[in-house]
Amino acid sequence: MPHPAHALDAQEQSTLVTAAAAAPSVLNTQPWSFTAGPRGIDVHADPGRAPAATASAARDVHLSCGAAVFNARVALARLGRGARTEVLPEAGDPLLVARVTVADEPPDPELEALYHCVGRRRTNRYPFRPQAVPAGLMLLLYDAAAWEGATLRALDEEPEYQRVLTLIRKAAWTEDERAREDRAALLGAWSGPPVLPVENLGPVPRGLSDGPAVRDLADGLDLPGRGTAAFEQHPTLAVLETADDDPVSWVAGGQALERVLLEATGRGVAASFANQPLEDAELREDVSSSAAHFGHPQMVLRLGYPLTVPPAAPRRPEAEVLRGVEP
């Protein structure tokens, strides 16, 4: 059967894969693989690449894959194609997270406008400027999350803010030794170069007795070249929530997360994550109740204006993530 006129050629398929693979993921583990073809791209989960120490591993994989799905949609729009997205399209294959295919409709101009941010987005673990993200911009980010079926709840009320900040610190203090060892192994090497080089880890936090909101992924490790730095005392914090808490919701949450991050990137706002309390079932419930909201927290974001822009985190080569090419 001949392919329709809007079918993707090999270069366009590569563009989809590259954009999808640029998505954020837990510890930069990139727990996905892709099948590309003239009709679009399939995003598969690779749970073997998730850190095994946390109870949130399955959720983290689906959130990461959801972010990759959103980038594929953005790339299709940039290629002048409409997109149709099916989440968990085959009941017999739970690792097939989503199928993004060319649709016979005009591309979404709002998605196309985000394409230039895909390669510029960074997870920034460096100090931010001591100024809050304006309320008007937070409202725009709220709308970005809502467009994908999620809620971005800014922690702008002081009691709620301090409660979640306390939970972040509590989770950091109580993290078990196995989790630290597993993370150290990932940072040290994963069948090749480290998944997060020193330049992407940011400096060792100093100057705040209770600990900052930024997550020190190399806490306790002596890594040459990191240095130390004082972090902002009152970063902008927000919780990304979904109404339900299942794989479909996690994928939606990942798409909402990436839409928020790309919108923020385009406006000069950087982000990192403070998900420590979400990796503990009890603390995650506390994060949810603190928001006076019936949603399920999927991500805790630290947002701000960067002083330093880190390099892009390394990505697995296309030959490694490309599972196959459909004829």
Side-chain angles (χ1 to χ4, degrees):
M1 177 183 297
H3 296 308
H6 52 256
L8 303 171
D9 61 28
Q11 182 58 49
E12 290 172 324
Q13 293 169 38
S14 180
T15 296
L16 285 192
V17 172
T18 299
S25 60
V26 59
L27 284 179
N28 196 41
T29 49
Q30 303 165 61
W32 49 54
S33 61
F34 310 107
T35 303
R39 299 173 181 83
I41 185 172
D42 286 355
V43 179
H44 308 266
D46 185 353
R49 293 190 63 86
T54 70
S56 64
R59 187 170 72 247
D60 288 339
V61 167
H62 283 80
L63 285 163
S64 301
C65 288
V69 169
F70 185 79
N71 277 3
R73 291 168 54 202
V74 168
L76 265 183
R78 178 65 180 84
L79 294 171
R81 312 301 210 282
R84 179 186 179 211
T85 304
E86 301 171 86
V87 175
L88 298 177
E90 297 183 10
D93 186 359
L95 296 184
L96 176 55
V97 171
R99 175 167 289 144
V100 184
T101 52
V102 176
D104 190 16
E105 60 188 46
D108 184 333
E110 293 189 10
L111 293 186
E112 182 182 5
L114 293 175
Y115 181 77
H116 74 285
C117 297
V118 169
R120 292 170 48 207
R121 185 209 58 80
R122 305 281 190 273
T123 299
N124 193 320
R125 300 177 182 87
Y126 285 78
F128 293 160
R129 299 182 186 279
Q131 64 198 78
V133 178
L137 180 48
M138 290 303 300
L139 182 59
L140 183 148
L141 300 182
Y142 170 90
D143 289 342
W147 194 259
E148 301 299 326
T151 299
L152 185 70
R153 184 170 295 277
L155 304 181
D156 47 15
E157 298 292 333
E158 194 61 24
E160 181 183 9
Y161 180 97
Q162 290 299 331
R163 177 178 167 82
V164 173
L165 188 57
T166 298
L167 291 171
I168 292 169
R169 291 167 174 165
K170 180 179 179 181
W173 295 331
T174 60
E175 185 176 48
D176 64 50
E177 189 60 30
R178 181 185 172 191
R180 294 178 188 272
E181 290 175 357
D182 284 356
R183 195 169 67 230
L186 289 179
L187 294 173
W190 189 329
S191 65
V195 296
L196 276 175
V198 168
E199 295 80 7
N200 296 108
L201 292 172
V204 178
R206 63 171 167 80
L208 290 176
S209 59
D210 292 328
V214 67
R215 185 174 199 176
D216 184 1
L217 294 177
D219 184 29
L221 300 179
D222 184 14
L223 299 179
R226 283 194 73 194
T228 65
F231 281 73
E232 69 278 9
Q233 296 190 26
H234 201 283
T236 299
L237 296 178
V239 179
L240 183 78
E241 298 176 321
T242 56
D244 297 309
D245 197 30
D246 54 23
V248 172
S249 301
W250 302 337
V251 176
Q255 294 191 71
L257 171 68
E258 184 67 339
R259 187 163 196 150
V260 166
L261 295 177
L262 295 184
E263 291 281 8
T265 297
R267 288 158 178 80
V269 171
S272 66
F273 309 106
N275 291 328
Q276 301 95 307
L278 304 187
E279 295 168 1
D280 179 288
E282 183 176 343
L283 293 181
R284 186 178 181 226
E285 285 296 318
D286 288 341
V287 171
S288 180
S289 63
S290 75
H293 187 256
F294 293 108
H296 300 272
Q298 307 297 350
M299 305 291 294
V300 180
L301 282 70
R302 163 187 169 252
L303 300 160
Y305 293 96
L307 290 163
T308 302
V309 178
R315 284 296 184 265
R316 299 162 63 193
E318 182 175 311
E320 185 177 323
V321 298
L322 191 56
R323 177 169 172 163
V325 176
E326 297 177 348

